[in-house]
Amino acid sequence: MEAISAKVKSILTKHDSRKRALIPILQDIQAEYNYLPELALRIVARSLEVPLIDVVGVATFYRAFSLKPRGRYVVTVCLGTACHVRGGPKILAEFQKRLDLQPGETSPDGRFTLETVACLGCCAIGPVVVVDGDYHAQTTTRKVETILKKYLKKEKKNGRSKKDRIH
Ligand code: FES
């Protein structure tokens, strides 16, 4: 609790006190925690002197923000029409099987969150999967294991665990 409070206050001090804009502040908090903890929203509301309901309103309006804890790697499988006809549902099923997650769920170890999206705006390279901001084009079920291994390897290399990030 205290650690979140201190971290959010340090994020707030980085933003110009005269024109503190809510969205960049929320983006920084989300970058730190992979979601927006309730305590952080309360601190931001108090600091900006705006009602908490307004802060929550912005946080829930934008899909990029999450009020629920998310994994360090967010796997987003596109199920828009173009990706759907090229095998999107099969790719999603493969991620579900390998991660043992349903869309919207986060693994208990805090590594992965599985999500779906209606279109990522790059239909020509579908089926598309985005992990940790990286776009994986023309994905197939056979590529799923390779994709997941890449991020597990990355995590090992960084030597980070959930405890290192969430205080
Ligand atoms: S339908 Fe998947 S990127 Fe458009």
Side-chain angles (χ1 to χ4, degrees):
M1 285 278 194
E2 239 175 68
I4 287 182
S5 177
K7 187 74 206 172
V8 172
K9 283 175 186 163
S10 93
I11 287 171
L12 283 162
T13 57
K14 278 193 329 194
H15 291 264
D16 188 327
S17 60
R18 285 160 298 162
K19 46 182 180 181
R20 282 177 175 173
L22 180 57
I23 289 175
I25 292 169
L26 296 183
Q27 283 172 327
D28 283 356
I29 295 169
Q30 171 110 356
E32 181 65 27
Y33 296 103
N34 283 348
Y35 81 109
L36 299 171
E38 184 188 328
L39 177 60
L41 297 184
R42 290 185 183 281
I43 294 167
V44 170
R46 210 176 312 132
S47 173
L48 299 188
E49 296 176 354
V50 294
L52 178 62
I53 189 81
D54 291 351
V55 176
V56 173
V58 170
T60 52
F61 180 79
Y62 292 99
R63 195 184 153 83
F65 295 130
S66 175
L67 298 183
K68 281 193 343 195
R70 295 165 109 203
R72 290 185 288 288
Y73 302 109
V74 178
V75 177
T76 306
V77 180
C78 183
L79 292 181
T81 307
C83 291
H84 191 281
V85 298
R86 293 180 192 151
K90 282 186 187 164
I91 291 161
L92 174 63
E94 188 67 20
F95 275 110
Q96 286 178 272
K97 190 177 87 185
R98 290 190 176 272
L99 295 173
D100 193 21
L101 294 175
Q102 295 301 310
E105 290 182 346
T106 296
S107 58
D109 62 6
R111 271 183 182 152
F112 292 101
T113 293
L114 183 60
E115 293 182 343
T116 60
V117 68
C119 180
L120 290 158
C122 51
C123 310
I125 61 166
V128 185
V129 173
V130 180
V131 185
D132 200 24
D134 303 331
Y135 281 64
H136 298 271
Q138 293 164 343
T139 310
T140 62
T141 51
R142 291 174 63 188
K143 288 183 184 173
V144 168
E145 186 182 5
T146 312
I147 291 171
L148 289 175
K149 276 186 177 165
K150 176 182 169 182
Y151 295 94
L152 291 172
K153 207 168 148 188
K154 187 174 170 182
E155 185 176 66
K156 218 172 176 182
K157 194 175 154 196
N158 291 343
R160 300 183 85 165
S161 71
K162 189 176 175 74
K163 277 188 278 171
D164 297 330
R165 293 209 60 179
I166 308 290
H167 307 286

